[in-house]
Amino acid sequence: MAQRNNNNNNNFYALYIHVPFCEKKCGYCSFYSLAGHNNLIDSWLETLGREAKFYTGSKIKTIYIGGGTPSILNISQWHKLINIIRENFDINNLLEATCEANPNSLTRELINFLRENFFTRVSLGVQSLNDNELKILGRLHDSRIALNAMNLINESGLNLSCDLIFAIPGQTLRTWADSLKRVIKFASHISTYQLTLEPGTPLFSKYDNESLNYDGYKFFRYAQYYLPRKNFLQYEISNFALSGYECLHNLSYWNHDNVIALGPSAVSYLDGVRLKNPPDIHKYFKLDKNLIQREKLSERENLIELAILSLRTKYGVKRSDLLPEVEKVLMQMPRDLFIITPERISLSKRGMRVGNSIWSELIGL
Amino acid sequence: MNNNLIRNFCIIAHIDHGKSTLADRLLESTGTISSRDMRAQILDSLTLERERGITIKLVPVRMNYKAQDGQNYILNLIDTPGHVDFAYEVSRSLAACEGALLVVDASQGVEAQTVANAYQAIDQNLEILPVINKIDLPSARPDNAKQEISEVVGLDASNAVLTSAKTGAGINEILERIVTDIPAPEGDENLPLQALIFDSVYDNYRGVICYVRVINGKIKSGQNIMFMSNGIVYPVNEAGVFKPGFTPVNELGPGEVGYITASIKTLAEAQVGDTITDAANPANKALPGYKKVKSVVFCGFYPVERDNYPQLRDALEKLCLNDSAVTYEPESSEALGFGFRCGFLGLLHMDVVRERLREEYGVELVATAPNVIYEVVKTSGEIIEAHRPSDFPDPSEIEEIREPYIKLSVFVPSEFTGRVMQLIQDRRGTYKSMDYITPERVRIIYEMPLSEFIVDFHDKLKSQTRGYASLDYELIGLKPSELVRVDILVNGEAADAFSFICHKDAAYNRGHAVVTKLKELIPSQLFEIPIQASIGRRVIVRVNVRALRKDVLAKCYGGDITRKRKLLEKQKEGKKRMKQIGKVAIPQEAFLAFMQVDGSEK
C-alpha cells in the first residue's frame, strides 16, 4: 500500500476501526462481520497494526470502534488494539472516543478498561426494550440485560448512546413509546433506525413488505415529537442528543472531514478520495492496494454530495457552499421542507422525513 | 385437366360448430394426410389458431377423391375463418369456390354467424350443402337443426348430410355429395388468362406467394404474368398446388386452385382481389375484385422498450405482408414514445395481430385502448375525422359529433332475453326487433355505437348468457351522438394521454374511474397533487394525491455514503423514465393502467 499524504490542510482526522466479529449475525444486518470466527481476531489485530503504520503520526480528534461487535474482544485483545492506536497516532488532542457494544457481551471489566483508557462514550445496541421485538430481531439479549448494561455504563460515568430500531414486525406505537421513554433515563444520545430488510439477510426472506410497517412514518414522527420535549434534539436525521452530546465522530462524515478507517470493509475519506477496504477478511489480510476500491468524485459531484450530507444535519448547508443550480432547485420545492436563513438552508422536521425525495432531485444536477 | 373433375368448395360455420375437425376428417378420408401424420386440425397452421381453436388465415388444400362413379376427382377445400371479424376473409374464400358446406351443430342449431355466412354464400351464387355436425352428442337434435336451417336461413335442409366429424360418420356421404351437388367450375383454357388472387403470404426466401383460382386460360412457370390493377409484369418462378404442402406442378388450368411465386417483393404489388393475366395476351377485363376492406377498430402499438421501435416497425411490415387487412401509420405519444396507430377489422383481429407480433416476431408491445373514428362537424361547417381525443376541437366549435353505429343481431335462448337487452341498452343500444326462431330461442336486433361494442361487449354477452348467445354485426354508418371529451388535469396541467371521449351521461363515472386509478398509481411527492377530470373548463371530479409522508430509511455513516448516493442516482434514473407533466412525474404504469381502466370499468 502506498504511503498516503498526511500533510493535508485539515490537520485532524477522525479514526474508525472496524471489528468484523460477532457472536451471531443479526437477521437484519448487512454489515460485514463474521460469526464464530474468533480465531481470526489475532490475525486481524496483527494486520490492523500494519495498516495503521501507513498513517503514523496522524493527529486524531475522534475515535470510533465499530462493527461487528467490538465488545466481543477479550481484555488482552483490547490491550493490543489500544496499543496499536497509541503507537501509531497522536491522540493528544482527542475530543471523543466511542466504542460500540452489545448488551450481552458488555462486561464490567470492559467498561472499566474503556474508562481507564481514552474512551468517552459507549454506543449500545439496545434496539428495543420489548422482549418480543428483540426476539424477532434475533438479538441475543432481552430487556433486562439491556437495562443492566445501561446501568453499568451510567455508573461508570461514560456517556451512553443507544441504538433503537423501529418498524419491527408487530411493533406498535405504544411499545415504541415505551422503549424511548425508558431509554432516555439512561442515555444522552439516541440513534433511531428504521428496520430495513436488505436482500440476503434472513429476516428479508422471512417477512414480506406487507407484514412490515414499511414506511415507518408513525414511529419516526413520534420520535420527532417526543424526544425534543425531553431535550433530545434531532441534530441529524437518525440522531437525537442532549445539547453538547452530539457525536462528533459521525458529524465528520456529514462535513466531509478526513477519516482514517481501518479494518475490512472500512471506508476512509482522505482529501476528497474515498477508499474502501475489501469486505473480506482474508483479502484484507493481504493489505493489497489493488484490492482497495477508490472513488474520487468531480468537484461538482463532491459539492452536491456535501450538500446532501450537510442537509442531513440540523446545521444544514452553508449557502456559500451551494452550487447556484442546487440552490435554485431547493428553492423551487415547497417551503415547509426547509428552514432558510440568510447564511444557511437546513431541513425542517417535515423535510427530514422526506429527505430522499429532496436529495434525489439534487443528484446529477 | 378436365374441369368436370374439379370441385372447389369451402366450409362455412358458426365458430365452434366443428368446421376444422370436419376438414381434418375429409383430409384423412381422402388419404391426403395419413392419420399418423395428422396433427389435430392441420389446417389451423398458425400456432395462435390452434391455441384459440379458431381459424384466421385461409388455408387451401387439394384432395384426390375416387367417387362412386369411378372417376378421380380433385377437391379443393378453401378453409375460411369463422369469427365475425373476418367476414371479409370469408368473402374472399367464397369468390374462389362454386360451393359451400354449411355446417350446423346438431345441438346448438343455427347461430348468428351461420345466417351471416350463409347469406354471403347465397349472395356469391354458391351451391350450399347443409351439413348437420356432432350428431353423436346426446344433446343432438338434428331435426330441429334442419328445421332451423329452413326457417331461419331459408334453405331447404331436408336432404342435409348428418355427420359426426368426431366419429367419422357421414364423411363419405359428404365427399360424394360434394361431387354430385356442387357444380364443376366453368372456364375455358383457350381464353386469355384470368386468375383471381384470393390470398397471399410472404415467404422470406420466395417473396410473395399468391394463392390463385384460375378462371380462364393457363398459368405455368416461366410465363410472364401481369397484375391487372397496376400493370406490373413478373415471370412466374413456380406454379403449384396445396397437397397440403406447396407442391409444384407444370401448369394450372381453368377451375384449378393453386399458388404461384414470382420473386414478388411486396404485397402491395400483388394485392388480394387483383386479377393475374398473361402479359403477352392480356384479358380485356379484370375479374370482379373485392371491396376494399376498411378498418373499424383502431389502437396504438408501442414498443415496451423505446429502443425497439425499429424492431416493431419491421415486424409490422412483415406481418402486413400476410394480413392485408391491417393498416398502420406512425404516431408518437408523450407517454409511450414512438409507435404506430393501427387499424383492424375488429377486436379479435386486433388481439390476433398483437399475439402474432409477440409470438412470431418476438416484439413486446403496449397496446392502447381500442377506439373508433368520429366525425366532427364544426360550427364553421367544416367536417373533420377525429381519431384521438386531441383531434377534437374546443366544445364551442363543435356543431355535431357523429360516431359509427352497427346493426347487431344476437341469437340467444329466450330465458336470457331480458339480460341481453339490458346489457345492450346500458351501452346505448336502440331496440329494432325481436323474433322467435324456435319457442326457446330468440333473435334480437339492435343498433348500437361501435365504440360501445368494441369495449369487451362480446365477453360481457358471453358471461351474461353462460356462453349461449351468438352474435353478428354489420356497420350501418355514422349517427349523431352526444359525446364529450373528458380531460384529465394533474396538478392543474392537462395530461393529454389520459383524455378520452365518451357519452355525456357516462362522463362522470368514467372520469371518476380514471382519476381514482391515477390516484393509486401516481406516487406521493413532496407536495399535494390534485387530479381532476373536466369537460371543457368544467371540473367534474377531483381527488388529491396526498403529499409524501416519509421516505427516509437508513442511517448514513462513512461506509454508507457511496451506496446511498448510488441509490439516489438510481431513483433519479427511474424518475427520468417517468413522464413529467408540469411538476409531477407520472410512472409508465399509470399510462398502462389507464388503458385498462378505459376498457374494464364502466
Side-chain angles (χ1 to χ4, degrees), chain A residues 16-22 25 29-34 44 64-72 98-102 123 264-265, chain B residues 555:
Chain A
Y16 176 78
I17 295 178
H18 189 72
V19 185
F21 302 101
C22 286
K25 270 301 265 191
C29 174
S30 63
F31 286 102
Y32 178 67
S33 82
L34 301 159
W44 166 73
Y64 198 101
I65 315 290
T69 312
S71 50
I72 202 173
T98 307
C99 173
E100 282 186 348
N102 267 345
S123 171
S265 83
Chain B
K555 51 193 153 197

Side-chain angles (χ1 to χ4, degrees), chain B residues 267-439:
Chain B
L267 202 86
E269 294 173 284
Q271 284 171 13
V272 170
D274 199 357
T275 302
I276 293 174
T277 191
D278 189 296
N281 178 23
N284 53 16
K285 68 176 192 172
L287 299 164
Y290 306 109
K291 59 174 188 264
K292 182 80 184 155
V293 66
K294 222 181 147 195
S295 306
V296 291
V297 175
F298 295 82
C299 81
F301 279 175
Y302 292 86
V304 171
E305 296 296 331
R306 292 186 177 203
D307 296 347
N308 292 344
Y309 174 79
Q311 203 196 340
L312 173 61
R313 185 191 53 214
D314 294 350
L316 266 173
E317 269 173 20
K318 284 199 189 118
L319 183 136
C320 288
L321 292 177
N322 269 336
D323 188 343
S324 55
V326 181
T327 60
Y328 66 97
E329 59 179 65
E331 74 168 1
S332 68
S333 142
E334 289 182 20
L336 301 170
F338 288 104
F340 294 93
R341 180 126 215 107
C342 302
F344 308 96
L345 302 173
L347 269 195
L348 179 75
H349 186 213
M350 181 178 105
D351 271 2
V352 164
V353 170
R354 182 166 54 180
E355 286 289 302
R356 284 187 62 191
L357 286 171
R358 202 169 63 82
E359 299 232 327
E360 296 170 34
Y361 300 95
V363 179
E364 290 297 334
L365 55 83
V366 175
T368 65
N371 67 302
V372 301
I373 300 181
Y374 299 98
E375 199 174 88
V376 181
V377 184
K378 293 170 79 169
T379 42
S380 63
E382 189 194 347
I383 295 178
I384 54 173
E385 269 195 357
H387 285 255
R388 32 188 107 66
S390 57
D391 296 340
F392 277 66
D394 188 83
S396 63
E397 293 174 40
I398 296 175
E399 178 73 36
E400 186 178 275
I401 300 175
R402 298 169 186 156
E403 64 175 325
Y405 266 71
I406 56 170
K407 186 176 123 190
L408 175 72
S409 61
V410 178
F411 284 46
V412 70
S414 47
E415 62 192 283
F416 297 114
T417 311
R419 284 196 213 172
V420 171
M421 290 171 82
Q422 187 63 47
L423 176 69
I424 302 174
Q425 265 151 11
D426 286 348
R427 293 181 177 237
R428 301 193 278 135
T430 313
Y431 173 84
K432 284 292 157 195
S433 69
M434 182 172 96
D435 58 334
Y436 279 82
I437 302 164
T438 65

Side-chain angles (χ1 to χ4, degrees), chain B residues 155-339:
Chain B
L155 287 170
D156 177 16
S158 56
N159 59 350
V161 185
L162 301 186
T163 179
S164 162
K166 202 171 138 207
T167 65
I171 297 299
N172 286 331
E173 190 189 344
I174 292 176
L175 288 167
E176 198 57 36
R177 293 278 296 277
I178 289 169
V179 170
T180 55
D181 289 22
I182 293 176
E186 292 167 2
D188 186 341
E189 63 175 31
N190 299 317
L191 287 176
L193 172 65
Q194 278 179 310
L196 177 71
I197 306 176
F198 64 87
D199 201 6
S200 53
V201 295
Y202 185 81
D203 181 280
N204 281 338
Y205 304 104
R206 299 200 269 188
V208 177
I209 302 175
C210 301
Y211 292 5
V212 296
R213 158 71 199 271
V214 181
I215 307 293
N216 288 312
K218 285 182 186 173
I219 195 164
K220 56 184 158 195
S221 64
Q223 183 179 4
N224 279 320
I225 52 160
M226 183 174 80
F227 295 96
M228 291 189 77
S229 67
N230 51 26
I232 295 175
V233 175
Y234 274 107
V236 174
N237 291 342
E238 181 178 305
V241 295
F242 311 98
K243 273 200 147 181
F246 293 114
T247 312
V249 294
N250 289 335
E251 59 175 40
L252 294 170
E256 285 200 277
V257 172
Y259 69 91
I260 59 151
T261 65
S263 304
I264 304 161
K265 279 167 208 71
T266 70
L267 202 86
E269 294 173 284
Q271 284 171 13
V272 170
D274 199 357
T275 302
I276 293 174
T277 191
D278 189 296
N281 178 23
N284 53 16
K285 68 176 192 172
L287 299 164
Y290 306 109
K291 59 174 188 264
K292 182 80 184 155
V293 66
K294 222 181 147 195
S295 306
V296 291
V297 175
F298 295 82
C299 81
F301 279 175
Y302 292 86
V304 171
E305 296 296 331
R306 292 186 177 203
D307 296 347
N308 292 344
Y309 174 79
Q311 203 196 340
L312 173 61
R313 185 191 53 214
D314 294 350
L316 266 173
E317 269 173 20
K318 284 199 189 118
L319 183 136
C320 288
L321 292 177
N322 269 336
D323 188 343
S324 55
V326 181
T327 60
Y328 66 97
E329 59 179 65
E331 74 168 1
S332 68
S333 142
E334 289 182 20
L336 301 170
F338 288 104

Side-chain angles (χ1 to χ4, degrees), chain B residues 520-538:
Chain B
E520 281 168 31
L521 289 164
I522 295 179
S524 288
Q525 310 200 11
L526 290 168
F527 43 89
E528 185 175 80
I529 307 163
I531 304 177
Q532 298 156 301
S534 72
I535 300 172
R537 280 181 190 78
R538 188 166 58 89

Side-chain angles (χ1 to χ4, degrees), chain B residues 575-590:
Chain B
K575 214 169 165 183
K576 264 193 210 150
R577 283 198 298 271
M578 294 190 199
K579 163 76 189 147
Q580 200 77 22
I581 294 186
K583 283 160 78 184
V584 182
I586 300 180
Q588 208 191 15
E589 300 85 76

